[in-house]
Amino acid sequence: MAVACAAPGSTLSKQLLFFLLVLVLFCDACQKVSLHVPSHLKAETPVGKVNLEECLKSPSLILSSDPAFRILEDGTIYTTHDLLLSSEKRGFSILLSDGQGQEQKKLEIVLSAREKKVFRKRHTKEPVHNRSKRRWAPIPCSLMENSLGPFPQHIQQIQSDAAQNYTIFYSISGPGVDKEPYNLFYIEKDTGDIYCTRSIDREQYDQFLVYGYATTADGYAPDYPLPLLFKVEDDNDNAPYFETKLTVFSVPENCRSGTSVGQVTAIDKDEPGTLHTRLKYKILQQIPDQPKHFSIHPDTGVITTTTPLLDREKCDTYKLVMEVRDMGGQPFGLFTTGTITISLEDENDNSPYFTQTSYTTEVEENRIDVEILRMVVHDQDLPNTPHSKAVYTILKGNENGNFKITTDPNTNEGVLCVVKPLNYEVSRQVTLQIGVLNEAQFTNAANAQPPTMCTTTVTVKIKDRDEGPECQPPVKVIQSKDGLPAGQELLGYKAVDPETSSGEGLRYEMVGDEDNWFEINKITGDLRTVKVLDRESKFVKNNQYNISVVATDTAGRSCTGTLVVLLEDFNDHPPQIDKEVTICQQEKDFAVLEPIDLDGPDNGPPFQFLLDNSSSKLWTLESQDGKRAILRQRHNLNYNYYSVPIQIQDRHGFSAKHVLSVRVCDCTTPTECRMAVKEERDAKPNIILGKWAILAMVLGSALLLCILFTCFCVTTTKRTVKKCFPDDVAQQNLIVSNTEGPGEEVTEANIRLPTQTANICDTSTSVGTLGGQGIKTQQSFEMVKGGHTLESHKGGVLGAADPGRYAYTDWQTFTQPRLGEESIRGHTLIKN
């Protein structure tokens, strides 16, 4: 609480003065306090500090009799304005009251002004002593933590030897002066006295390094700065405390004696390495307190067990009230208490047990997946852990696997179920022995009970019910020969009525026959084949053909069974092979033959390969491991198709002849050759005849024309030939020209024509044109007899009325030799 100081003359000031007068008259005086202060005090300057509680405990009202000063709650005195102490001493009173007027105290304060030093100025004309600056010797100094004052408290004085000759002013700087914490120290500049203005907390500041300075009035420093170390002496003002407010340890139950539980640690803020921080630990109380299970090491704080009798089922949690005390555990040391919790970890040291020693239940026959009983067990270990979760086992009575027992995860009960149908006609009652254990292994603690299995007896009564037919076994196998013809009888599936142990009154129906091989006798269930049985059918798997049969009683109840027809293999398929083979000359000169036999292994390989004699000149056939053969060329063949007859026999000699179409191709892979063959087959035929073939055709045509012409001439026997006689018979010439190919042309240079001519008839016959070489054969003939010319006409009829023409005999005599010559020449050309 701060003290307010009012100005004189106001109404409030008069009331305060009156109140102060009353306090002065009636209050008790406390011890007088003297403070040494400078003669000149500035406003809001701390003058000192007094301990108010020594005068009055917890004052609620603090007043100053002198308005030039104000007092704070902690006893610090401040000036309210600049103050100059004119006399040697000045005093005022601090009035304290509890606020109710029942108790008042007065504290006398005396301020003493320090003597003012006579100012001696150093003149520049004075001789300067030639001596170096000295470093002051620091004086050891210490401050007591939490000192009660009074303040300002004198702690040290510094002086300089230069003060004997000059007026020296002293000053200080450093932490506590012009650095944090501010205004903790100040120095009288004239005397060098250093004061502390308030108490110090060592845990906040353990020492202060302050520098002292000595200077003359003109600022000359005759000495080096003096380092002053103020060490704060520790006061045992901090009680130790536990580092963790909430401490929980755990330890297994039934652990050995001396097992470490945990370690507690405490902290003391006082100076380390002193008696103030030497701590001791102690257990004040254990809850529950009996028996004592724990101890603590006084120096380290490690908690250990003292007995092996910790049982979680009796007490699962212990609490320890701890004490930590400094001063080495001395009674006057400061201490703190705390509570730690120790939890016991569960161990599987208790076996589960049934609440009943025997159970009885019942179930209808033929029912499955039905719950028939629940059994309850108790376990003292921790619930919902492997130490208490039960595992049930059927020990006896379940040899046929009709029952199954499981654990309900929510209730830990044993649930007994029927998983395989029970038959009342076989057994009317079943007795089971069931045991129970835990999921976790039993503990091996020394004081734990040996593990035992608790057992109980369950009697299951089976109730009879009217049931339908039974198909037992569900799958029946019959054998049949491969290739069995249609109309043959086979034994079918037989079902039984459990009530009568016979199959009377049952009706059979076939519901599964993929390839429709059979028909069924509805009364007996026997089968009759309607097709030839074929083991190589796609519906046969592993030599088995499956049929599903339904047996129904008079009440409409039914069961389904499977009849498996196991077909014995018959050697009715010779080895087969791919008929087209390609040999790529660039890669290899052989082909691999791999035949396939649809019969079973007993009627299949090893195969025997035989090559036909007609192909042995070009090919060889080598057998490889009885399953393959190598067809190889004896020498490189032309690229073409080849037909290779071979014969393949199985192990029993059943064989078949095959004609392979072998394609010898210029390729690296068979696919390339196949593509070339396809393109060749798809291409349109483009036949080009050679020149000799064309020549033969032309000459043949010419010969045919000549024969026809001869026949025509023979038939004209009654016709005459016109004879032409020129006027100048003496100059007539007979010119016969047979020119083949281009030849020489008849010109006036080599043929002499008559000057006078009668009728001159020239005939030019084109024998033929060779289409390949374009050769044209021309034949011109002229016959003159008795000065007349015999002329052949194209397509004309020789006139018989003309007396100048020749008779038939003359014509035949003239043409026959020439026709024979032309025939011989044409034959020679064709042959060449």
Side-chain angles (χ1 to χ4, degrees):
M1 181 179 65
V3 178
C5 298
S10 63
T11 305
L12 180 60
S13 299
K14 293 180 181 180
Q15 293 176 354
L16 288 175
L17 291 173
F18 177 76
F19 182 71
L20 290 174
L21 181 60
V22 173
L23 288 176
V24 170
L25 295 176
F26 297 99
C27 66
D28 298 331
C30 295
Q31 186 178 359
K32 183 182 295 186
V33 177
S34 298
L35 298 176
H36 297 277
V37 297
S39 58
H40 182 265
L41 299 175
K42 294 183 179 181
E44 298 299 331
T45 301
V47 177
K49 184 177 181 181
V50 295
N51 189 1
L52 300 179
E53 292 187 354
E54 289 185 355
C55 186
L56 180 62
K57 196 74 171 178
S58 301
S60 58
L61 181 61
I62 303 174
L63 297 175
S64 174
S65 62
D66 190 344
F69 303 95
R70 61 185 181 88
I71 298 90
L72 303 183
E73 290 181 346
D74 61 350
T76 303
I77 304 172
Y78 281 88
T79 58
T80 57
H81 53 82
D82 292 346
L83 187 64
L84 181 62
L85 299 180
S86 58
S87 60
E88 292 295 332
K89 293 183 179 181
R90 180 172 177 171
F92 66 95
S93 299
I94 299 176
L95 306 176
L96 307 175
S97 174
D98 59 358
Q100 298 177 355
Q102 297 180 358
E103 186 176 5
Q104 293 87 23
K105 294 290 185 178
K106 180 174 66 173
L107 182 61
E108 294 289 338
I109 304 298
V110 178
L111 300 179
S112 300
R114 299 183 184 91
E115 294 181 1
K116 191 173 183 181
K117 200 170 189 179
V118 179
F119 180 74
R120 297 178 59 190
K121 186 176 181 181
R122 184 180 69 89
H123 300 284
T124 57
K125 294 181 179 181
E126 293 181 358
V128 178
H129 301 284
N130 295 327
R131 61 190 181 100
S132 60
K133 294 182 179 180
R134 296 177 302 167
R135 181 172 295 280
W136 310 354
I139 303 174
C141 180
S142 61
L143 302 174
M144 189 63 190
E145 179 188 14
N146 300 322
S147 174
L148 298 178
F151 296 100
Q153 182 179 9
H154 185 268
I155 56 176
Q156 198 173 22
Q157 183 182 24
I158 59 175
Q159 288 184 346
S160 175
D161 294 342
Q164 298 176 3
N165 302 318
Y166 311 108
T167 300
I168 297 298
F169 297 99
Y170 299 98
S171 62
I172 56 177
S173 67
V177 183
D178 53 359
K179 297 181 181 179
E180 289 284 350
Y182 296 102
N183 300 324
L184 178 61
F185 305 105
Y186 73 89
I187 187 171
E188 285 287 346
K189 67 176 182 178
D190 296 330
T191 62
D193 291 321
I194 301 175
Y195 292 88
C196 178
T197 61
R198 55 185 181 274
S199 60
I200 306 171
D201 184 5
R202 191 206 66 83
E203 285 71 40
Q204 189 175 6
Y205 303 101
D206 58 347
Q207 65 182 13
F208 297 91
L209 181 59
V210 179
Y211 286 90
Y213 306 93
T215 58
T216 61
D218 56 358
Y220 173 72
D223 297 295
Y224 287 109
L226 177 66
L228 302 173
L229 181 63
F230 299 152
K231 185 177 180 181
V232 180
E233 297 291 338
D234 184 44
D235 181 26
N236 190 21
D237 59 340
N238 291 279
Y241 61 91
F242 290 103
E243 186 175 6
T244 304
K245 294 182 179 179
L246 181 61
T247 304
V248 179
F249 297 120
S250 60
V251 64
E253 64 173 329
N254 303 316
C255 63
R256 299 178 181 274
S257 178
T259 301
S260 176
V261 178
Q263 182 180 14
V264 293
T265 55
I267 298 175
D268 196 323
K269 292 183 178 181
D270 290 325
E271 186 175 2
T274 64
L275 195 61
H276 298 163
T277 55
R278 186 179 301 172
L279 307 180
K280 293 290 183 180
Y281 300 92
K282 182 170 61 174
I283 298 177
L284 299 179
Q285 185 182 4
Q286 173 186 299
I287 303 172
D289 56 349
Q290 294 298 331
K292 301 294 184 182
H293 293 294
F294 305 98
S295 64
I296 189 170
H297 192 283
D299 295 327
T300 62
V302 176
I303 302 173
T304 56
T305 59
T306 57
T307 66
L309 303 178
L310 291 172
D311 189 357
R312 191 203 66 82
E313 287 72 37
K314 294 181 180 179
C315 181
D316 60 350
T317 303
Y318 291 89
K319 290 186 178 182
L320 301 180
V321 180
M322 311 291 299
E323 178 192 86
V324 57
R325 187 184 293 264
D326 60 12
M327 302 299 292
Q330 297 296 326
F332 53 82
L334 303 178
F335 66 91
T336 300
T337 61
T339 302
I340 67 171
T341 301
I342 300 176
S343 299
L344 299 186
E345 299 175 354
D346 184 45
E347 294 287 328
N348 190 20
D349 56 345
N350 294 279
S351 299
Y353 58 90
F354 290 100
T355 57
Q356 294 179 224
T357 57
S358 63
Y359 297 86
T360 301
T361 184
E362 62 182 13
V363 63
E364 289 184 352
E365 65 173 334
N366 298 323
R367 295 196 62 185
I368 60 173
D369 297 331
V370 58
E371 177 184 322
I372 61 174
L373 182 65
R374 282 181 174 259
M375 291 164 284
V376 180
V377 295
H378 285 172
D379 196 319
Q380 295 180 359
D381 291 322
L382 189 64
N384 299 322
T385 64
H387 300 156
S388 62
K389 289 184 177 180
V391 178
Y392 299 89
T393 307
I394 302 176
L395 303 176
K396 295 180 182 179
N398 193 32
E399 287 76 12
N400 296 328
N402 299 98
F403 302 94
K404 182 180 73 173
I405 190 167
T406 57
T407 303
D408 189 327
N410 298 322
T411 62
N412 208 32
E413 296 175 327
V415 181
L416 183 64
C417 300
V418 177
V419 295
K420 187 177 179 180
L422 296 168
N423 195 337
Y424 175 82
E425 288 72 25
V426 176
S427 177
R428 300 186 179 185
Q429 180 175 297
V430 179
T431 301
L432 304 175
Q433 185 181 15
I434 299 177
V436 62
L437 287 175
N438 292 127
E439 288 184 1
Q441 188 178 1
F442 200 81
T443 185
N444 295 324
N447 60 321
Q449 299 177 0
T452 58
M453 176 181 285
C454 181
T455 61
T456 187
T457 302
V458 179
T459 301
V460 181
K461 295 181 179 181
I462 304 172
K463 298 170 62 178
D464 186 24
R465 58 175 296 187
D466 188 9
E467 50 195 340
E470 292 183 351
C471 294
Q472 293 295 337
V475 179
K476 182 179 180 181
V477 180
I478 62 173
Q479 290 186 346
S480 176
K481 292 183 178 180
D482 183 17
L484 186 68
Q488 299 296 318
E489 295 283 345
L490 292 178
L491 184 63
Y493 193 90
K494 304 295 182 183
V496 177
D497 189 343
E499 303 298 331
T500 61
S501 299
S502 67
E504 295 181 1
L506 299 181
R507 295 293 180 267
Y508 297 92
E509 183 181 358
M510 192 164 52
V511 295
D513 183 7
E514 290 183 302
D515 201 18
N516 299 319
W517 282 7
F518 302 96
E519 62 182 9
I520 191 169
N521 190 321
K522 295 185 178 181
I523 298 176
T524 63
D526 294 334
L527 301 178
R528 177 187 295 271
T529 61
V530 296
K531 289 184 178 180
V532 177
L533 305 188
D534 186 8
R535 191 193 69 88
E536 288 74 24
S537 172
K538 65 178 181 179
F539 301 101
V540 177
K541 307 297 183 184
N542 299 324
N543 301 332
Q544 297 178 358
Y545 184 79
N546 297 333
I547 303 171
S548 297
V549 178
V550 176
T552 308
D553 61 8
T554 56
R557 292 167 295 191
S558 64
C559 68
T560 303
T562 301
L563 186 63
V564 178
V565 181
L566 183 61
L567 297 173
E568 300 177 1
D569 186 29
F570 178 70
N571 193 12
D572 56 347
H573 291 83
Q576 301 294 326
I577 196 169
D578 191 0
K579 299 301 178 64
E580 294 185 0
V581 179
T582 301
I583 296 178
C584 290
Q585 290 280 35
Q586 296 183 13
E587 181 185 11
K588 55 187 178 180
D589 61 346
F590 63 89
V592 179
L593 308 182
E594 295 184 6
I596 298 175
D597 196 329
L598 297 178
D599 294 323
D602 295 337
N603 297 316
F607 300 119
Q608 185 177 0
F609 300 87
L610 302 175
L611 183 63
D612 190 85
N613 293 331
S614 62
S615 301
S616 60
K617 294 181 180 181
L618 301 179
W619 307 93
T620 62
L621 190 61
E622 304 170 6
S623 178
Q624 298 284 334
D625 63 27
K627 296 182 180 180
R628 298 179 301 172
I630 302 298
L631 180 63
R632 191 185 305 272
Q633 307 174 63
R634 289 188 178 273
H635 53 81
N636 288 337
L637 301 178
N638 295 331
Y639 301 143
N640 206 344
Y641 283 97
Y642 297 88
S643 296
V644 182
I646 65 171
Q647 184 178 0
I648 305 176
Q649 297 179 354
D650 61 15
R651 65 168 57 192
H652 298 297
F654 189 35
S655 65
K657 292 185 178 180
H658 307 277
V659 178
L660 300 182
S661 177
V662 182
R663 168 75 167 178
V664 179
C665 185
D666 182 15
C667 60
T668 56
T669 60
T671 55
E672 296 178 359
C673 184
R674 293 192 186 100
M675 291 174 62
V677 171
K678 184 178 180 181
E679 292 175 359
E680 181 179 330
R681 291 176 180 176
D682 294 341
K684 294 182 179 180
N686 188 11
I687 301 174
I688 301 176
L689 297 178
K691 58 184 179 179
W692 296 112
I694 297 173
L695 178 60
M697 292 174 63
V698 171
L699 292 178
S701 300
L703 180 60
L704 181 60
L705 291 174
C706 290
I707 294 172
L708 294 176
F709 181 73
T710 302
C711 294
F712 175 77
C713 291
V714 171
T715 57
T716 59
T717 55
K718 293 182 179 182
R719 297 181 181 179
T720 60
V721 178
K722 181 180 179 182
K723 296 181 181 180
C724 299
F725 296 101
D727 295 337
D728 189 4
V729 177
Q731 296 181 0
Q732 186 70 29
N733 294 309
L734 176 62
I735 299 174
V736 178
S737 176
N738 294 322
T739 305
E740 295 180 7
E744 296 180 358
E745 294 185 2
V746 181
T747 62
E748 295 180 355
N750 56 18
I751 297 178
R752 188 176 180 182
L753 299 177
T755 57
Q756 294 179 355
T757 60
N759 293 330
I760 299 175
C761 299
D762 294 332
T763 302
S764 178
T765 304
S766 178
V767 178
T769 302
L770 299 181
Q773 299 181 4
I775 299 175
K776 183 178 180 181
T777 302
Q778 296 179 348
Q779 182 178 7
S780 300
F781 60 91
E782 189 179 84
M783 187 176 70
V784 177
K785 185 177 180 182
H788 297 277
T789 300
L790 180 61
E791 181 182 358
S792 62
H793 297 275
K794 295 181 182 178
V797 180
L798 296 177
D802 189 354
R805 294 188 180 273
Y806 282 89
Y808 173 74
T809 56
D810 296 331
W811 173 258
Q812 186 178 10
T813 303
F814 176 77
T815 58
Q816 190 65 32
R818 288 165 175 75
L819 291 174
E821 185 181 352
E822 290 296 332
S823 298
I824 293 172
R825 185 181 291 109
H827 179 72
T828 303
L829 292 174
I830 294 173
K831 186 176 180 180
N832 292 331

